């Protein structure tokens, strides 16, 4: 599945995953989204999927009651653990967001951070079905991802028969990866997420978009 290719690419990047946030033009948007995310998840027991090196985990941990941060890559989870987050408040687990273990636990909110756009449409549906099955009704779902910014975002390399768009990325070592990458319109998000969510809301700033809803 393509999520395995995505996982391999980000495993190769390691700490360099966060280099994107060094872009000066993003500073204001990062600050705004950090405040907004902190307010949304304040007091919640949060399951974060696709935590990577823990950049956004650290943001959420400031206001959440607890956070279980999950990523498929053990090496990225190890990096996240070294950030020195509040002991007893943040825990980590290596797991596949598309195949959550039965003992994942109970949560009042789930954050999907920068994973959605790297899933094919079929994988997005599988993710949503898994969340509904494992977490149940009325859990707050927050999806945070990138907006397309001309001159900054990668261009689409191809579109497949199912309508999935793909981009080509190359590591510093010259390894080439073709990965799914989407920049969905609000209408597409509402159609896909609305199948499992209610009270759906989408907000956009230049570099990011954020969707919130409650699972049906």
């Amino acid at each position: 599945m393509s999520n395995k290719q995505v996982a391999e690419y980000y495993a190769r990047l390691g700490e360099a995953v966060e280099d994107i946030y060094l872009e000066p033009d993003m500073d204001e948007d990062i600050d705004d989204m950090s405040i907004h995310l902190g307010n949304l998840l304040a007091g919640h027991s949060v399951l974060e999927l696709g935590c990577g090196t823990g950049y956004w985990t650290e943001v959420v941990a400031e206001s959440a009651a607890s956070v279980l941060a999950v990523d498929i890559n053990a090496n990225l989870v190890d990096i996240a653990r070294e950030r020195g987050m509040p002991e007893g408040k943040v825990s980590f687990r290596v797991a596949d967001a598309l195949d959550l273990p039965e003992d994942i636990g109970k949560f009042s909110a789930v954050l999907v951070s920068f994973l959605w756009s790297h899933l094919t449409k079929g994988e997005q549906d599988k993710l949503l079905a898994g969340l509904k099955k494992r977490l149940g009704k009325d859990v707050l779902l927050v999806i945070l991802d990138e907006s397309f910014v001309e001159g900054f975002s990668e261009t689409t390399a191809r579109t497949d028969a199912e309508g999935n768009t793909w981009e080509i990325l190359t590591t510093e070592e010259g390894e080439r990866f073709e990965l799914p990458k989407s920049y969905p319109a609000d209408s597409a998000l509402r159609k896909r997420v609305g199948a499992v969510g209610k009270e759906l809301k989408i907000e956009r700033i230049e570099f990011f978009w954020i969707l919130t809803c409650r699972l049906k």
Side-chain angles (χ1 to χ4, degrees), residues 4-14 169-171 177 179:
K4 302 296 183 183
Q5 298 168 313
V6 172
E8 184 179 353
Y9 171 74
Y10 282 100
R12 294 284 195 277
L13 289 187
L169 299 174
T170 306
T171 66
F177 289 82
L179 306 178

Side-chain angles (χ1 to χ4, degrees), residues 117 156-160 163-167 179-183:
S117 63
T156 298
R158 70 178 178 94
T159 303
D160 65 21
N164 299 301
T165 50
W166 300 73
E167 66 181 6
L179 306 178
K181 182 67 175 182
S182 59
Y183 298 98

Side-chain angles (χ1 to χ4, degrees), residues 29-190:
D29 277 15
I30 290 172
D31 289 345
D32 289 347
M33 190 54 68
S34 296
I35 292 169
H36 187 37
L37 199 60
N39 290 336
L40 279 173
L41 297 173
H44 279 282
S45 56
V46 179
L47 171 64
E48 182 190 7
L49 302 180
C51 72
T53 57
Y55 185 94
W56 294 98
T57 313
E58 193 167 30
V59 170
V60 172
E62 292 185 11
S63 62
S66 63
V67 183
L68 173 59
V70 172
D71 200 277
I72 197 171
N73 281 314
N75 70 315
L76 298 186
V77 170
D78 287 343
I79 294 170
R81 283 196 176 103
E82 296 299 317
R83 298 188 83 97
M85 295 184 213
E87 189 174 350
K89 189 175 184 179
V90 181
S91 56
F92 296 91
R93 183 164 180 176
V94 177
D96 185 348
L98 300 186
D99 188 21
L100 291 174
E102 292 183 7
D103 65 345
I104 195 64
K106 300 287 187 181
F107 304 90
S108 63
V110 55
L111 169 63
V112 181
S113 49
F114 299 93
L115 173 63
W116 181 264
S117 63
H118 275 312
L119 300 176
T120 64
K121 294 179 179 181
E123 289 168 342
Q124 290 169 355
D125 290 341
K126 184 176 181 180
L127 173 69
L128 294 173
L131 292 177
K132 187 174 180 180
K133 178 180 178 181
R134 290 282 183 256
L135 303 184
K137 293 181 179 180
D138 293 320
V139 170
L140 176 66
L141 170 61
V142 180
I143 304 177
L144 172 62
D145 221 307
E146 297 173 84
S147 299
F148 182 83
V149 178
E150 191 71 40
F152 182 85
S153 303
E154 297 288 339
T155 56
T156 298
R158 70 178 178 94
T159 303
D160 65 21
E162 286 74 43
N164 299 301
T165 50
W166 300 73
E167 66 181 6
I168 296 173
L169 299 174
T170 306
T171 66
E172 289 186 359
E173 292 74 27
E175 292 178 278
R176 182 179 179 275
F177 289 82
E178 186 180 52
L179 306 178
K181 182 67 175 182
S182 59
Y183 298 98
D186 287 6
S187 57
L189 287 168
R190 290 185 182 280

